[in-house]
Structure formats: C-alpha cells, structure tokens
Amino acid sequence: MENGNITFTMIKPCAVKQEKEFDILLDIKNAGFKIIALKKTKLSKEQAQKFYEIHKDRPFYKELCDFMSSGPIYAACLKKENAVNDFRKLIGNTNPELAEKNTIRKKYALSIQENAVHGSDSNENASIETKFFFSNLEIFE
Ligand code: CMP
C-alpha cells in the first residue's frame, strides 16, 4: 500500500456535526478518487492521541485530541494516481483562510483546528493511517 496510489482521509467531527459528509464525499469522488474503504466511527481520546502522536509536542495537541474525539468521524482510504499530492491539493491549506477557492477546506472548514478533513502527508503515512482504521478485509481496490 505504499505505491503512491492511495491516501487516507478523515471527515472530522465539525463537518459531520454540520451534516457535510456526503457533500465532501461527492467532492472527493468528482475529483477522481475511488473510495476503497469507508467507515463511520468515533475515536476515543486514547485513539486520537495515538493517531496524532507525531504532534504530541505541539501546543495544540491536547485541544486537537479533545476535538477529534468529540463526535463521530468518517475514515476513508482513497485510490488515485498520485493520491497523496492530488488529495492535498483538493483539500487546500491547513488554515482555511489560506486555502484556495473551491478547496474542501475553503468550503467546509471552520478554523485551523476544525478544518473539516485530514489528508495524509506522505505515502508512508497513508499506509500507516489506513492500517490504523482498516483491516485488509475492509479494503476493496
Ligand atoms: P490535520 O491535517 O488533521 O493534521 C494535524 C491537525 O492539527 C490539523 O489538521 C489541524 O486540525 C490541527 N492543527 C494544525 N495546526 C494547528 C494550529 N496552529 N492550531 C490548532 N490546530 C492545528
């Protein structure tokens, strides 16, 4: 799963609370991504801390983990050529104020933290993050 054709995304609690998950999934589909795994779930505080462990020394870590475990999310694995980079372009800058027009974060994010979606930052992390949520039996390429 590290061949550059997959990425991992979460639709975050802020977007699910606003019932934007299907609009976002349609944007993802219309951008040419195939959804090869998808589930609605809710992270425990401990799971959020583990998922975002790489940020544990950042000042926003505690708030981020509280937010990410505050309500249901959708986790998905997406397939497309050049998936990681193309998906990062589709979602836009982490900070919605800096995100380009028509990007998912520009359209749906509320703030730098409540930024609607997560996207993997490398092929290696796409694989690690996918395996965090899905077994091989739940992925249909
Ligand atoms: P994500 O792509 O999921 O990766 C790390 C998350 O941390 C990021 O989206 C934001 O939700 C959050 N984040 C990043 N920078 C900041 C910041 N400066 N303040 C608050 N939250 C942040």
Side-chain angles (χ1 to χ4, degrees):
M1 270 209 288
E2 280 168 48
N3 60 8
N5 289 337
I6 67 127
T7 192
F8 172 80
T9 186
M10 283 184 286
I11 301 177
K12 298 188 178 188
C14 53
V16 178
K17 265 182 211 132
Q18 295 185 92
E19 301 184 12
K20 296 298 182 194
E21 61 266 52
F22 301 114
D23 303 83
I24 292 172
L25 287 169
L26 192 57
D27 282 358
I28 291 171
K29 175 183 176 283
N30 287 341
F33 291 86
K34 186 175 171 196
I35 298 167
I36 62 172
L38 177 67
K39 70 170 73 165
K40 187 176 190 180
T41 183
K42 185 171 180 289
L43 289 168
S44 66
K45 188 76 70 66
E46 293 70 28
Q47 285 173 313
Q49 286 166 345
K50 187 157 194 298
F51 186 88
Y52 281 113
E53 202 168 16
I54 192 170
H55 295 304
K56 69 176 185 308
D57 296 326
R58 310 287 285 274
F60 56 81
Y61 178 66
K62 187 188 173 298
E63 215 186 320
L64 174 64
C65 296
D66 288 347
F67 162 59
M68 287 302 298
S69 57
S70 69
I73 59 152
Y74 286 77
C77 182
L78 310 174
K79 186 171 182 179
K80 182 185 185 295
E81 207 177 299
N82 200 28
V84 166
N85 287 332
D86 284 1
F87 191 69
R88 287 172 74 80
K89 272 187 217 141
L90 176 67
I91 65 180
N93 196 290
T94 307
N95 182 348
E97 283 175 21
L98 304 177
E100 283 184 44
K101 196 167 169 249
N102 286 326
T103 58
I104 288 177
R105 282 173 172 157
K106 190 67 170 186
K107 287 163 73 175
Y108 304 110
L110 305 174
S111 68
I112 191 165
Q113 176 172 271
E114 296 193 322
N115 62 357
V117 286
H118 166 79
S120 304
D121 63 4
S122 67
N123 294 336
E124 192 194 356
N125 282 338
S127 172
I128 292 168
E129 291 170 359
T130 297
K131 287 175 188 156
F132 188 96
F133 283 91
F134 298 104
S135 77
N136 283 341
L137 294 173
E138 298 172 303
I139 300 170
F140 302 91
E141 289 202 40

